């Protein structure tokens, strides 16, 4: 825990950005019956019955101190999918950063080994060399700011049924652009000192 909190205490360094990454499953749902639009004096009406249209996974990264994030939906959540998201992060979003500090939970796909499953060894090694990975502790995924970002995304963008992954990606891109334009940063207050005071029951006792 203190390892991640110490990372969050670092001042912003554009050459070594601190980025938090996470993903969540998402169920694509359609309407069994067409909704009835709102009219003057009447609210919109949506039937409780829905149609299952498959599942996908939403990947997000956020750079808390810069107010930047990227979000996309992929059909699956495998090691290969994770590796391609990391490749995009390093090659497209941060091509000039020598090192990207990456905070993630302990999901089994969240390792440099996934890069070697997706790419040739030379490319996998080159990508891995640019990562400084910090994992949140077991049962401590709340320390990952990307999880908080996913919660905000769910409230602000995913409060309705979406039945197609391409439509979903269009909605995610619109949300990403709006939030990035607003430059919303994350001001993390919980420090190592706070942890030692408020969560002292988690520390070994002599």
């Amino acid at each position: 825990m203190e390892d991640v909190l110490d990372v969050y205490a670092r001042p912003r360094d554009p050459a070594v950005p601190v980025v938090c990454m996470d993903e969540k499953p998402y169920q694509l749902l359609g309407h069994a019956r067409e909704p009835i639009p709102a009219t003057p004096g009447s609210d919109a009406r949506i039937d409780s019955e829905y149609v299952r249209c498959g599942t996908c996974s939403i990947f997000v990264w956020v750079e808390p101190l810069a107010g930047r994030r990227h979000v996309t939906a992929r059909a699956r959540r495998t090691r290969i999918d994770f590796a391609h998201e990391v490749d995009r992060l390093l090659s497209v979003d941060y091509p000039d950063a020598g090192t990207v500090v990456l905070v993630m939970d302990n999901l089994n796909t969240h390792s440099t080994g996934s890069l070697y499953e997706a790419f040739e060894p030379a490319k996998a090694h080159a990508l891995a060399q640019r990562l400084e990975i910090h994992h949140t502790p077991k049962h401590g995924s709340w320390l990952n700011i990307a999880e908080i970002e996913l919660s905000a995304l769910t409230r602000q963008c995913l409060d309705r049924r979406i039945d197609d992954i391409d439509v979903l990606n269009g909605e995610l891109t619109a949300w990403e652009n709006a939030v990035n334009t607003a430059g919303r940063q994350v001001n993390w207050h919980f420090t190592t000192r706070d942890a030692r005071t408020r969560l002292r029951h988690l520390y070994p006792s002599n």
Side-chain angles (χ1 to χ4, degrees):
M1 176 173 59
E2 291 190 1
D3 174 61
V4 173
L5 294 176
D6 288 345
V7 168
Y8 288 165
R10 298 179 187 179
R12 185 189 174 200
D13 182 355
V16 187
V18 173
V19 174
C20 303
M21 193 172 184
D22 199 7
E23 65 262 19
K24 64 171 287 182
Y26 182 79
Q27 188 171 34
L28 298 166
L29 299 175
H31 295 287
R33 299 172 183 83
E34 284 300 312
I36 299 175
T39 58
S42 298
D43 294 331
R45 284 178 285 179
I46 300 175
D47 197 296
S48 59
E49 186 178 355
Y50 56 83
V51 178
R52 298 178 187 271
C53 301
T55 60
C56 61
S57 291
I58 296 175
F59 288 78
V60 64
W61 63 254
V62 55
E63 185 186 352
L65 297 181
R68 292 182 62 198
R69 72 272 296 146
H70 174 70
V71 57
T72 190
R74 300 180 68 93
R76 299 185 301 167
R77 187 176 69 170
T78 65
R79 289 181 179 273
I80 305 300
D81 294 291
F82 169 75
H84 281 283
E85 286 301 309
V86 170
D87 182 30
R88 186 195 188 283
L89 175 74
L90 295 174
S91 303
V92 177
D93 301 311
Y94 294 96
D96 300 322
T99 299
V100 171
V101 181
L102 193 57
V103 177
M104 303 178 291
D105 62 28
N106 275 294
L107 191 66
N108 62 344
T109 59
H110 293 172
S111 71
T112 55
S114 295
L115 300 175
Y116 285 87
E117 289 194 25
F119 308 116
E120 292 296 322
K123 178 173 181 176
H125 179 72
L127 293 172
Q129 288 293 101
R130 295 179 58 203
L131 293 174
E132 178 189 323
I133 295 176
H134 296 263
H135 288 115
T136 58
K138 187 177 181 180
H139 306 304
S141 61
W142 58 272
L143 287 166
N144 188 351
I145 292 175
E147 185 173 286
I148 301 171
E149 198 74 15
L150 278 171
S151 178
L153 167 68
T154 300
R155 295 193 310 272
Q156 297 167 5
C157 181
L158 304 178
D159 58 348
R160 60 201 181 283
R161 293 173 187 166
I162 300 175
D163 62 0
D164 181 83
I165 192 170
D166 292 330
V167 174
L168 173 61
N169 269 315
E171 295 295 313
L172 295 177
T173 298
W175 178 85
E176 173 191 321
N177 290 338
V179 180
N180 282 345
T181 298
R184 189 190 72 199
Q185 298 173 314
V186 178
N187 187 10
W188 184 267
H189 291 282
F190 194 75
T191 65
T192 296
R193 182 176 180 179
D194 293 327
R196 293 173 181 174
T197 302
R198 302 180 190 179
L199 302 178
R200 57 182 178 273
H201 61 283
L202 299 178
Y203 288 79
S205 57
N206 296 325

